[in-house]
Amino acid sequence: MIAPLKSPNVLNIPPEYAFVDVLARELLRRHGATLSEITVLTTTRRAARALQSAFLRETAGKPLMLPRMRPIGDVEEDELLLEGDIGIGGPGEKLLSLPPAIDPLRRQLLLSRLIQARSDHAGGIAEAAGLATALARFLDQVQTEGLDLADLKKLVPAEYAAHWQITLEFLEILSLNWPAILSEEGAIDPALRRDLLLRAQVAHWQEMPPVAPIYAVGSTGSIPATALLLKTVANLPNGTVVLPGLDRHLDADSWQTLPRDPAHPQHGLALLLDKLGITREDVENLTDEEFRTSTSARAALLTEALRPATTSDRWQQAATPAEAALDGIRQLDCLDAQSEAQSIALLMREALETDGKTAVLITPDRDLSRRVGSELRRWNIDVDDSAGISLDQSPPGVFLRLLARLIESEAEPVALLAALKHPLAAGGVAPDVFRRHVRALELAILRGPRPASGFAGINRALATSSADESGKSWFQELVDLATPLEDMVSYGDVDFSEFLKCFIQFAEKLSTPAGAEGSALWRGNFGDAAAGFISELLRAADVIDSFDPNSWPELLDNLMRGRMVRPQYGLHPRLQIWGPIEGRLGRADLVILGGLNEGSWPPDAGSDPWMSRPMREKFGLPLPEQKIGLSAHDFQQAFGAAEVVMTRAEKIDGTPTVPSRWLLRLETFLKKFGMALDKGAARPIFDWQQQLDQPAAVAPVLAPRPTPPVAARPRRLSVTRIEKWIKDPYSIFAEQILKLSPLDDISTDPSAADKGTFIHAALEQFINHYPDVLPPDARDKLLELGRQAFGDVLSYPTVWAFWWPRFERIADWFVAFETARRKKFRTLETEVKGTIKIPAPHAEFVLSGTADRIDISKTDSSLSIIDYKTGAPPSITEVETGVSPQLALEAAMLTRSGFSGIAAAPVEELAYIRLSGGDPAGEFRSAGGKKSPPPEMLAEEAYDGLLRLIAQFDRQATPYLSCPRPDLPYRFNDYEHLARVKEWSSGEDPE
């Protein structure tokens, strides 16, 4: 047994000293040649590595037998430690008889099955798996705190609101069913096993104190088992506890309030000292002036600023802070999250200009750390992020998730391209060949309306396309790869284990390049993590019985999320990104405290989805504010670095943010003395940040003036292109000379142009079927022809819900219109094509056109040219001035016998039929107004204008201008971006 000591052996390293460096020197001083015999218990594995680096610095890199360094696992401060190995063993049958910890994935799936079994759960396995993650986290917290689930029955539901009563009933699956399931599994929860190991270690040391010295360093004892271990170590004959940043500046009265103030940075240490049975005065400081990073005045300033709210009235008697307290402290208030990330990256990059200088970003904000890492890569710097990357965001994880969505969506084009364009996709050929085939597939059939569903549907569409035979053969091989998995999905509910194996086989084959011995999916650090995940999932697959493959994407997301993977090699030795707990003991020359906004740092205390505050307190769980206190202590430790830059974003996603309470307290306290944090030093950083993505020089962009050779200019245009030629000659240049055509979107719904095509086709067929007399059921006949014209497109929800009802109204109107029209006119032709040849200065010019409808009067045999419009027709002014000359030019073609089968005859009417399907559904409108010239004169004027236009562009000096007349914009300009119109049309003189 441990002989009682006069006082536990507890030391403290103040925050103004580099913790690991002071500790390393002291351990070398005390133990020297016997250093390898001692044991050092650290909070995390990263803290152990930091201590290793400190030993190397202290010995100038000379070989050294290091002490045994093992993490004790401060679970509340780092959830990741719940999945790590605490590395503490002990003799005895009791330890050996402990059941193994259940695999996290198996536990999640078992909990999911329990949730599904409840009668009030309407979701599937995927939703249950998401809920199981939160339930497992609650279970871990209960066991970490040393509580018993059986005590849930002591919480009387009737004492709480109705929704809390429902929650308590839900939690019965833990207290009633979960222990029996674990017994069947022959395992226990990881947190409980860790707690039992810690307590067994404590019991062993109390019974048989170790001879070799033991040090427990850096822990605040925030969980019961850890606190018990620290107490045991402190009372060992050769045991020592080294605390991080015990506050010596706070007055005694305020210190007494800390056990009741969980949000204070010293709350955890105050509770720990009470558990150890000592006071602050019993703790000796361990310091070394060589490793001082800041003045004691700075520590005193932060102590005063963060003093308990109950004693903040003492600010009135506070002494003026020393000027040295703010030395080395800067604050950057950035515009937004991206500005903050770029500013931090610049600070870290600047640090590299000084030989040997190290810099670290400390932040709990994962989005900020990701942005900073991305920004640093612009200088080819890969930085070590202590939190790593979630497996679902890693390359293999993303690839597997994309494949899951591909199968679930039945090869929907966007999902298909997303999967096939992933860098891991190769499909048994060279990656560059695979990419070429994917791009060809996209252009051939995936842009525009979606092909039939499934790989087979895409294959049928590809077979009738213009794609080359090698591309068709390549896709057939892809179809063969996917068929077994597609067939399994089509069966409905399947065996999960068999489905998972089939899915992995598909993923492996798709990710195997030509000539490779195996899949690229499992290569590298991320590949190893993905392989471990799949292996664990296969072991747990028997938990799921019947499985709906359509839920696989969501289930995979929920199972992967939160499994962190850290890259191991090729990272920068002087730049790092840490979480707050790593910053507690770490050392760097420049420390950047990022994301200092409420809700980020400190984190939002939030609300517990399982218990209200009274329920947590009665059950024995710590209040949510304890997280804020732990974060505050981490901030207090990091604030003691030699050079500190505190950053925050004033807006996140456009929403104003609230500065961290610690910043506000500092600013408020300093303001009392006319002092402030240094924000002026941020100006150079902001200037650099604004220049990051700015070009070296801004050259004014002039409007394009292409003047291709006359021989290359088009000699044939349709009447519809003439309006484009007048309003936007550059579009003709891009379309006819450069041969550029706009790409359709991927897997689009039919467009307005498609709607016009379908309606045109239906009306054409209707008139051709019934050229003389309308049938009694004319409306029904027209609707049937409409169904044929729309075809498969009617299956699109937007078409059926919006377009088809409009077409029904159009049919009603059109039948009535035709009934009246046919009393005076007879339709000669529909969709009739024609051409005329026009002599021109350079060479003959061909004008072509397709008239929607040409009618002949039954009284005087005059002709009427009609154009259907499902959109807005041109205005009367546009027709009169010749800028919309389509109908007038068709009339000019007609008078020159340009339409085959129709003899030249006078044109007495140019008209539009607008078919909107609205109110009114249709409208017959003359192209000209009452005062407009007659159609024959409009036709001749349009023809003369075309002659002038042809002659003008037959001159080499005539450029194809973009939008030469802003007052006549072309409504359907597909080439505006190519002409860079928005860059030169601002109205400013570039000179």
Side-chain angles (χ1 to χ4, degrees):
M1 297 293 292
I2 299 177
L5 296 177
K6 183 176 182 181
S7 176
N9 191 8
V10 181
L11 303 176
N12 170 60
I13 299 179
E16 58 265 34
Y17 293 87
F19 188 97
V20 291
D21 291 287
V22 172
L23 179 62
R25 176 168 290 183
E26 179 65 16
L27 293 180
L28 282 170
R29 184 190 67 81
R30 289 188 178 192
H31 304 287
T34 61
L35 184 66
S36 61
E37 298 177 6
I38 72 171
T39 298
V40 181
L41 305 178
T42 63
T43 53
T44 65
R45 288 182 293 276
R46 179 172 283 267
R49 290 194 293 271
L51 185 55
Q52 290 174 7
S53 299
F55 281 122
L56 289 175
R57 287 193 297 269
E58 187 63 21
T59 59
K62 294 180 181 179
L64 180 70
M65 291 293 290
L66 294 174
R68 300 169 62 197
M69 288 179 278
R70 299 176 179 177
I72 58 176
D74 199 342
V75 182
E76 268 302 302
E77 295 167 293
D78 190 344
E79 292 182 359
L80 299 178
L81 292 173
L82 286 169
E83 299 178 5
D85 181 6
I86 61 172
I88 295 177
E93 183 179 349
K94 184 176 181 180
L95 290 180
L96 294 175
S97 63
L98 275 179
I102 189 171
D103 284 344
L105 268 183
R106 188 171 188 84
R107 179 171 71 153
Q108 187 175 358
L109 291 177
L110 285 168
L111 287 171
S112 302
R113 193 172 67 181
L114 269 180
I115 293 169
Q116 275 190 292
R118 285 183 58 90
S119 59
D120 57 352
H121 180 75
I125 183 64
E127 296 88 342
L131 186 58
T133 301
L135 195 60
R137 190 177 298 116
F138 172 76
L139 183 60
D140 287 336
Q141 188 178 29
V142 169
Q143 294 172 343
T144 297
E145 293 297 325
L147 303 176
D148 190 344
L149 289 171
D151 291 339
L152 285 172
K153 62 185 179 182
K154 297 180 181 178
L155 300 177
V156 182
E159 297 178 1
Y160 306 106
H163 66 283
W164 291 119
Q165 296 178 30
I166 296 172
T167 303
L168 282 176
E169 293 173 4
F170 180 82
L171 290 177
E172 287 180 356
I173 65 177
L174 291 181
S175 59
L176 299 180
N177 306 102
W178 186 240
I181 291 176
L182 285 178
S183 179
E184 291 178 8
E185 293 287 324
I188 58 176
D189 288 303
L192 177 60
R193 191 172 196 277
R194 191 146 301 114
D195 188 81
L196 292 174
L197 283 172
L198 282 170
R199 295 180 184 277
Q201 181 71 81
V202 166
H204 172 66
W205 279 346
Q206 288 176 342
E207 183 67 27
M208 300 177 60
V211 176
I214 293 181
Y215 292 83
V217 303
S219 176
T220 60
S222 59
I223 60 176
T226 305
L228 180 60
L229 180 67
L230 294 178
K231 181 176 182 179
T232 301
V233 171
N235 286 284
L236 289 174
N238 292 318
T240 303
V241 171
V242 183
L243 301 179
L246 179 65
D247 193 341
R248 301 291 195 178
H249 304 282
L250 188 64
D251 62 273
D253 291 341
S254 298
W255 183 267
Q256 296 302 319
T257 69
L258 296 186
R260 301 183 301 277
D261 188 357
H264 192 274
Q266 295 289 308
H267 170 76
L269 288 174
L271 290 180
L272 179 60
L273 293 186
D274 287 347
K275 292 175 183 177
L276 296 178
I278 59 176
T279 65
R280 278 190 300 173
E281 290 70 25
D282 297 324
V283 180
E284 179 183 349
N285 274 355
L286 183 60
T287 63
D288 190 311
E289 289 304 312
E290 184 177 340
F291 298 123
R292 177 183 283 276
T293 56
S294 61
T295 63
S296 296
R298 187 195 293 182
L301 166 65
L302 191 62
T303 294
E304 193 61 50
L306 301 186
R307 70 163 41 253
T310 55
T311 64
S312 58
D313 59 297
R314 299 198 179 191
W315 278 0
Q316 301 298 326
Q317 294 83 38
T320 303
E323 291 291 338
L326 297 180
D327 289 347
I329 300 289
R330 287 182 286 167
Q331 182 179 344
L332 270 64
D333 290 341
C334 304
L335 180 63
D336 53 26
Q338 186 62 16
S339 172
E340 183 182 14
Q342 289 181 333
S343 298
I344 293 172
L346 281 166
L347 286 166
M348 298 179 79
R349 176 62 184 84
E350 183 191 24
L352 297 182
E353 296 300 307
T354 303
D355 289 343
K357 186 174 183 179
T358 58
V360 63
L361 165 64
I362 300 176
T363 181
D365 188 339
R366 304 311 314 145
D367 180 66
L368 177 61
S369 63
R370 178 187 57 81
R371 287 175 182 265
V372 172
S374 177
E375 289 295 329
L376 284 170
R377 279 192 283 274
R378 72 167 72 219
W379 298 293
N380 296 319
I381 296 173
D382 287 320
V383 65
D384 181 11
D385 186 345
S386 66
I389 299 174
S390 181
L391 180 59
D392 65 313
Q393 298 300 315
S394 70
V398 170
F399 184 63
L400 292 172
R401 291 168 59 221
L402 288 175
L403 292 186
R405 277 162 177 74
L406 165 64
I407 296 302
E408 181 269 338
S409 68
E410 297 182 310
E412 189 274 330
V414 172
L416 177 66
L417 288 174
L420 298 187
K421 288 188 176 184
H422 191 280
L424 287 173
V429 300
D432 59 327
V433 175
F434 190 86
R435 303 287 176 270
R436 285 199 300 270
H437 284 314
V438 173
R439 288 191 287 269
L441 174 70
E442 176 182 348
L443 293 175
I445 59 169
L446 298 184
R447 286 190 173 269
R450 174 182 175 174
S453 61
F455 280 86
I458 294 176
N459 205 24
R460 288 195 298 271
L462 187 63
T464 59
S465 72
S466 59
D468 60 38
E469 290 304 317
S470 66
K472 295 177 181 179
S473 175
W474 162 81
F475 192 75
Q476 180 61 53
E477 293 177 0
L478 199 61
V479 172
D480 294 340
L481 287 181
T483 297
L485 187 58
E486 272 200 314
D487 289 345
M488 184 170 286
V489 172
S490 67
Y491 298 154
D493 288 353
V494 297
D495 179 79
F496 178 68
S497 179
E498 293 302 316
F499 170 81
L500 181 58
K501 292 175 183 176
C502 189
F503 176 79
I504 295 304
Q505 289 172 1
F506 174 61
E508 287 181 331
K509 291 177 181 178
L510 189 59
S511 59
T512 302
E517 295 183 357
S519 169
L521 184 61
W522 316 122
R523 295 177 186 168
N525 191 46
F526 291 121
D528 287 342
F533 167 79
I534 294 298
S535 177
E536 186 179 341
L537 186 55
L538 282 169
R539 293 195 302 271
D542 62 292
V543 174
I544 303 177
D545 300 323
S546 179
F547 175 70
D548 178 7
N550 289 319
S551 64
W552 177 231
E554 186 180 354
L555 176 62
L556 185 61
D557 286 350
N558 285 332
L559 296 179
M560 272 193 179
R561 191 177 296 119
R563 293 177 68 101
M564 307 306 293
V565 186
R566 291 187 61 250
Q568 296 177 342
Y569 308 106
L571 303 177
H572 203 282
R574 291 163 53 195
L575 301 182
Q576 292 182 314
I577 299 176
W578 293 343
I581 189 172
E582 286 83 16
R584 181 190 300 175
L585 306 184
R587 172 187 182 275
D589 300 311
L590 169 64
V591 173
I592 303 166
L593 308 181
L596 283 169
N597 284 323
E598 285 294 308
S600 175
W601 202 8
D604 186 4
S607 57
D608 186 344
W610 305 110
M611 290 186 174
S612 63
R613 290 176 64 90
M615 292 166 67
R616 288 181 64 91
E617 189 171 6
K618 187 171 182 179
F619 186 56
L621 289 173
L623 295 178
E625 285 78 10
Q626 182 172 326
K627 291 192 301 184
I628 296 177
L630 293 171
S631 293
H633 181 257
D634 295 333
F635 174 80
Q636 190 176 46
Q637 283 291 100
F639 194 76
E643 184 181 359
V644 177
V645 179
M646 299 181 291
T647 71
R648 58 173 294 266
E650 293 178 339
K651 290 185 178 180
I652 300 291
D653 296 330
T655 303
T657 59
V658 177
S660 169
R661 64 190 68 188
W662 309 319
L663 284 181
L664 292 177
R665 276 181 159 249
L666 274 169
E667 291 176 356
T668 303
F669 180 69
L670 290 172
K671 187 176 180 180
K672 175 179 183 297
F673 305 101
M675 303 171 68
L677 295 169
D678 182 7
K679 296 183 179 182
R683 178 50 49 196
I685 296 297
F686 289 149
D687 291 342
W688 295 344
Q689 184 262 325
Q690 292 171 3
Q691 296 174 34
L692 268 182
D693 297 316
Q694 293 296 323
V698 179
V701 176
L702 300 177
R705 297 176 61 86
T707 53
V710 175
R713 301 187 182 198
R715 308 311 302 171
R716 179 186 178 114
L717 288 175
S718 67
V719 291
T720 55
R721 292 292 187 270
I722 302 304
E723 179 178 352
K724 180 186 289 188
W725 198 6
I726 294 170
K727 293 182 176 180
D728 187 43
Y730 186 85
S731 292
I732 298 298
F733 166 74
E735 178 185 68
Q736 300 292 326
I737 300 175
L738 299 182
K739 305 300 182 183
L740 299 176
S741 52
L743 291 174
D744 291 329
D745 290 334
I746 298 170
S747 187
T748 59
D749 285 343
S751 65
D754 295 321
K755 178 176 71 171
T757 301
F758 301 145
I759 293 175
H760 276 61
L763 298 184
E764 178 191 5
Q765 290 298 315
F766 180 75
I767 292 174
N768 290 341
H769 278 67
Y770 311 104
D772 299 318
V773 180
L774 294 179
D777 56 347
R779 179 182 184 274
D780 294 337
K781 297 294 185 183
L782 180 53
L783 290 178
E784 179 58 32
L785 291 171
R787 292 187 186 93
Q788 296 175 15
F790 277 84
D792 293 339
V793 171
L794 276 176
S795 62
Y796 285 81
T798 53
V799 174
W800 179 253
F802 297 102
W803 290 11
W804 186 251
R806 285 179 176 269
F807 182 74
E808 290 178 324
R809 292 193 288 270
I810 289 172
D812 291 334
W813 180 89
F814 190 77
V815 169
F817 167 77
E818 279 296 298
T819 301
R821 175 84 176 172
R822 294 188 180 197
K823 294 177 182 179
K824 299 180 180 180
F825 291 87
R826 178 174 61 86
T827 300
L828 281 180
E829 293 286 349
T830 60
E831 297 295 324
V832 57
K833 300 183 183 299
T835 60
I836 59 172
K837 296 179 179 178
I838 302 173
H842 175 70
E844 188 176 71
F845 187 91
V846 176
L847 177 67
S848 64
T850 301
D852 287 348
R853 175 172 172 173
I854 299 177
D855 288 358
I856 185 170
S857 172
K858 292 181 177 180
T859 57
D860 58 7
S861 297
S862 62
L863 300 180
S864 172
I865 302 178
I866 297 174
D867 190 56
Y868 297 126
K869 294 290 185 185
T870 52
S875 67
I876 294 174
T877 302
E878 287 178 315
V879 174
E880 289 179 343
T881 57
V883 296
S884 293
Q886 177 188 348
L887 286 182
L889 287 176
E890 288 178 0
M893 293 173 63
L894 192 55
T895 59
R896 290 167 173 79
S897 301
F899 290 100
S900 177
I902 301 178
V907 178
E908 295 297 330
E909 184 179 53
L910 303 176
Y912 296 107
I913 293 181
R914 185 184 183 190
L915 302 167
S916 67
D919 186 15
E923 177 187 8
F924 181 86
R925 201 203 79 189
S926 175
K930 294 180 179 180
K931 299 181 179 181
S932 299
E936 288 188 342
M937 185 177 294
L938 286 175
E940 291 308 309
E941 289 177 353
Y943 184 79
D944 292 341
L946 177 59
L947 291 177
R948 292 191 297 271
L949 186 64
I950 295 171
Q952 180 182 0
F953 277 88
D954 274 356
R955 294 196 295 270
Q956 177 64 45
T958 303
Y960 284 81
L961 300 177
S962 177
C963 305
R965 293 185 59 180
D967 58 322
L968 297 174
Y970 188 63
R971 288 177 295 173
F972 309 107
N973 194 335
D974 292 318
Y975 302 95
E976 186 179 57
H977 64 293
L978 187 65
R980 301 169 70 176
V981 171
K982 293 182 179 180
E983 295 185 50
W984 51 261
S985 63
S986 62
E988 298 178 0
D989 188 349
E991 300 297 327

